[in-house]
Amino acid sequence: MDQGYSQGMGSAATTLSATATTITSINPATGAPLGEVPEMSADEVRAAVERARAAQRAWAELPLEVRCRRVARFADVLMDRAEEVIDLLVREGGKTRLEALGMEVVVVADLVRYFAKHAPAILAPEPVPLHLLKHRASYLHFVPRGVIGVIAPWNFPFSIPIGEVMMSMIAGNGVVLKPSEVTPLIAHKAHELHVAAELPPDLFQVVTGRGATGAALIDSGIEYCVFTGSVATGRKVAAACGERLIPYTLELGGKAPAIVCADADLDRAAQAITWGGFANSGQVCASVERVYAVDAIHDELVARIVEHARSLRQGDASASDDVDVGAMAWDQQVATVERLVDSAVAAGARVEVGGKRRPGPGQFFEPTVLTSCRQDMDVMRKEIFGPVIPIMRVSDEDEAVRLANDSHLGLLAYVFTRDRARGKRLAERIEAGTVMVNDVLNTYACPETPWGGVKQSGIGRTHSAIGLRDLCEVRHVNHDRVAFPRELWWYPYKQGTFRALLRGAKLLFGKRPWKR
Ligand code: NDP
C-alpha cells in the first residue's frame, strides 16, 4: 500500500474520525491495495460544506478575471506534475498511460485554459431586448450559487469531476466532491494540486465514502448538484434534490449506436468503432455500444473490426506502456459484462473475438466483438460499460435510425458516411445529446461544446457556455430607459384608460390585415 489519507492528508475534510470505517483503493490490474480513505459521516460532510461555504464568500468577491487567472494556475501545476497524476490514474483506474493523458489530464488542462479565457465573456451581463416595453431595458447577470456538490463515477475519476470543480470555482462557487468509492485517491491528488496552485484550500473539499456519503452531500445544504453516474442512482439523486428543491444536472448512462452507411470509409469506420468500443476498456458513457451496419458493407466492416480487435494488447498498464486495453476499474462491472455477453450468446449472437473474462490476477474482460445481434437482446438494449462491440445487420439507413432511436437512452450517437450532407441529415434524426459524423467520443474533450443526454441519459448539460451558466444563478434586472411619471396601467383604474388599453391591445395582438 503506497498511499494513505487516513492520517489527515489532503483536505482537512479527509481526516479520519475515531469511529470511521475505511475504504481500500486497489489497483484493478493486480489487486494490490493502493491506499485507504475514510468513509465519512453525514456530520463530516456537512462540516466540509460549511468550510467550502466560508471560503466561497471571499472567493466570490474577487473579480471574475482574477478568479480565472488563479484557476488557470491549476493547469500550470497539473502539466508540471502530469506524470505523477497519470501514474495514479493508471494504477487506480486500470487505464493505459495514453488514455490517462488524453482522456483525463489533457481534458482538464484544456478545459481550465478555455474557461479561464472565455468565462468573462460567457458570464458577462447579457442584455435582453424588450420587444414591447421599449421605454425599459432588461439584462441578465450571472451570480455564483454558493457551494456546488459534485458526485462522480469511477470511469473518468479525474476529467469528469475536476472539470466541474474548475468550472464551479471560475463561476465563483465553492465545491465539495464526492468521488466514487472505487477511485478516491485521484480526488485527493486533485486536491493536492489545487493547494499547490495556491487556490484557497477550503474552497474545494473532498468527501470520501460510499453511496450514503453522496446522499449526505445532497442533504448538507449545497446549492446545486452535478451528478454523473448510472440511471438508477440518478433517479435517487433527482428525488433527493427535488425534495430539497436543489437544482441539478444529471449525466447518466449511454448506449451509443454507430450507424455505418454503404458509402462509409470502412477503414476509418472500423478503426473508429474499435477505438470507440474498447478505449478505457469500454467504460465510457459515450462508448460505441451497438453497431448498425447496412447489409452492403456489413461483412467487410466486421472483418476489419475483428482484425483490429485481434491486434489489441491487453494487460497491466502500470507495468508496461505497450498496452492498448487496460483493466476494468470495478469488479462488479466485469460480472455485468460477462452476464450480457453470455446471454447474447445464448440468444444466438456469435463471438467473433474475445467473449470472456481473463483469469486473474486483475479485472480484465477480453475485447469482444459479437455479430448476429438482434435488437431484442439485452446486449443491444442495456448499457454494457465494458469492452464489447455488438454488431447488427440492417437493410438500410432508415432501419438503422429507427433502431438507434429505439432506446431509453440518448447520450451520444455516431454516423459513418462519405457524404457529409447525408451524415448531417441522419444526425439530425437521431435522438441523442450529441451526434458525431465520422468520429467517436471526442467531444467530451471540447470544453466549448455541451455534454449531456436526452431521454434517460440525463437532464441538463455540462461543459460549454450552458454548463458554465448553470453553475450560476441567473438574475434578471429590469430598469427604466426613459423616466415617465407613471405607467398607464397603474392606479387609479379608469374607464378611459381601459378603452385606450383595449384599443392598443387589439391593434398589437389581434388580426393584422396589413400583415396578411
Ligand atoms: P453510480 O450511479 O453507481 O455512482 C455514481 C456516484 O454516485 C458514485 O460516487 C456513487 O458512490 C454515488 N452514489 C451512489 N448512491 C448514491 C446516492 N444514493 N446518492 C448520492 N450519490 C450516490 O455510477 P458508477 O460510478 O457505477 O458509474 C457508471 C455510470 O456512470 C454508467 O452508467 C455511465 O454511463 C455513467 N456515466 C455517465 C457519464 C455522462 O457524462 N453522462 C460519464 C461517465 C459515466 P459509490 O461509488 O461510492 O457508490
Side-chain angles (χ1 to χ4, degrees):
M1 201 180 291
D2 55 6
Q3 292 210 29
Y5 290 89
S6 53
Q7 301 307 311
M9 291 169 70
S11 68
T14 63
T15 310
L16 246 187
S17 72
T19 54
T21 52
T22 57
I23 295 171
T24 303
S25 168
I26 61 146
N27 180 338
T30 62
L34 296 173
E36 283 187 351
V37 294
E39 197 169 341
M40 291 172 69
S41 68
D43 285 346
E44 288 169 308
V45 172
R46 190 168 283 277
V49 170
E50 285 317 312
R51 280 194 296 275
R53 189 180 307 292
Q56 187 264 343
R57 289 193 190 105
W59 179 250
E61 292 296 312
L62 296 174
L64 175 55
E65 285 75 8
V66 174
R67 294 200 302 259
C68 288
R69 270 203 305 280
R70 293 198 49 189
V71 171
R73 295 191 58 185
F74 186 90
D76 300 346
V77 173
L78 172 59
M79 292 323 293
D80 282 350
R81 294 172 59 176
E83 291 83 353
E84 173 190 336
V85 177
I86 289 167
D87 188 57
L88 182 56
L89 278 163
V90 169
R91 285 185 299 125
E92 192 178 43
K95 57 191 71 206
T96 67
R97 223 163 267 282
L98 205 81
E99 288 163 354
L101 171 66
M103 297 176 143
E104 302 259 22
V105 169
V106 164
V107 171
V108 173
D110 180 48
L111 174 143
V112 166
R113 296 268 178 240
Y114 176 80
F115 283 107
K117 182 170 176 198
H118 295 281
I122 295 169
L123 299 183
E126 182 180 302
V128 181
L130 299 181
H131 77 288
L132 194 59
L133 302 179
K134 301 283 189 196
H135 64 302
R136 300 193 59 81
S138 276
Y139 67 90
L140 310 178
H141 69 132
F142 301 94
V143 179
R145 286 185 181 271
V147 177
I148 310 285
V150 175
I151 302 177
W154 42 262
N155 62 328
F156 290 111
F158 191 71
S159 56
I160 290 177
I162 305 308
E164 293 307 313
V165 168
M166 295 297 137
M167 288 173 68
S168 297
M169 292 193 302
I170 282 179
N173 300 292
V175 204
V176 179
L177 164 62
K178 152 65 180 88
S180 167
E181 69 196 59
V182 181
T183 50
L185 298 185
I186 196 67
H188 283 288
K189 178 64 68 183
H191 189 269
E192 227 179 278
L193 304 185
H194 166 93
V195 173
E198 294 173 12
L199 287 156
D202 279 354
L203 190 63
F204 165 31
Q205 301 278 324
V206 177
V207 293
T208 48
R210 303 177 199 276
T213 306
L217 179 56
I218 298 169
D219 196 32
S220 62
I222 56 171
E223 273 80 24
Y224 194 86
C225 179
V226 181
F227 172 82
T228 308
S230 61
V231 174
T233 313
R235 281 187 213 284
K236 291 186 199 162
V237 167
C241 288
E243 190 67 32
R244 292 156 186 81
L245 292 178
I246 303 167
Y248 53 83
T249 304
L250 299 182
E251 294 290 348
L252 309 179
K255 187 71 193 164
I259 295 177
V260 186
C261 301
D263 69 347
D265 173 343
L266 288 190
D267 207 34
R268 182 173 173 89
Q271 288 187 64
I273 288 168
T274 307
W275 184 69
F278 298 145
N280 209 42
S281 267
Q283 305 161 116
V284 185
C285 50
S287 270
V288 175
E289 287 246 342
R290 48 197 173 123
V291 176
Y292 298 108
V294 302
D295 190 41
I297 49 82
H298 173 276
D299 295 352
E300 182 57 32
L301 179 76
V302 168
R304 292 184 194 210
I305 293 174
V306 167
E307 192 187 329
H308 289 308
R310 285 214 173 100
S311 73
L312 296 176
R313 300 153 302 169
Q314 187 172 40
D316 174 6
S318 58
S320 162
D321 280 348
D322 294 332
V323 167
D324 301 305
V325 182
M328 291 188 66
W330 192 33
D331 55 351
Q332 293 185 39
Q333 195 61 37
V334 186
T336 303
V337 174
E338 190 170 42
R339 260 196 318 276
L340 285 169
V341 169
D342 290 350
S343 81
V345 171
R350 185 184 140 101
V351 178
E352 300 287 346
V353 51
K356 53 186 191 308
R357 81 161 75 201
R358 269 185 24 178
Q363 301 159 189
F364 293 93
F365 199 90
E366 294 174 346
T368 297
V369 178
L370 300 176
T371 53
S372 301
C373 293
R374 293 189 318 270
Q375 186 75 358
D376 62 353
M377 293 175 175
D378 277 354
V379 81
M380 294 293 282
R381 304 198 72 83
K382 295 187 174 167
E383 189 178 39
I384 307 168
F385 223 57
V388 178
I389 301 176
I391 305 177
M392 177 172 169
R393 187 190 296 269
V394 292
S395 54
D396 57 23
E397 293 153 13
D398 285 338
E399 186 187 7
V401 170
R402 183 176 61 73
L403 294 171
N405 289 340
D406 174 27
S407 172
H408 65 291
L409 298 172
L411 188 59
L412 269 278
Y414 310 110
V415 175
F416 290 89
T417 169
R418 280 199 168 90
D419 179 342
R420 207 165 288 146
R422 171 186 288 128
K424 289 199 269 185
R425 273 199 311 276
L426 290 171
E428 287 171 20
R429 290 169 57 195
I430 298 175
E431 295 158 3
T434 295
V435 184
M436 298 181 76
V437 181
N438 296 325
D439 202 356
V440 290
L441 311 188
N442 286 344
T443 67
Y444 194 80
C446 304
E448 60 274 60
T449 63
W451 184 268
V454 301
K455 300 196 261 190
Q456 291 180 27
S457 282
I459 294 176
R461 295 291 180 268
T462 57
H463 293 180
S464 77
I466 303 170
L468 185 65
R469 285 180 166 192
D470 276 352
L471 298 169
C472 300
E473 274 175 15
V474 183
R475 295 197 190 154
H476 170 205
V477 176
N478 178 268
H479 63 92
D480 52 350
R481 293 172 61 225
V482 183
F484 294 137
R486 65 185 294 275
E487 300 292 342
L488 209 57
W489 47 88
W490 288 356
Y491 294 136
Y493 294 161
K494 287 188 190 157
Q495 212 179 54
T497 316
F498 169 73
R499 287 215 192 92
L501 283 174
L502 182 62
R503 248 193 332 272
K506 284 189 182 230
L507 268 174
L508 284 167
F509 313 123
K511 279 190 201 152
R512 298 183 190 186
W514 63 92
K515 287 246 163 156
R516 279 194 196 127

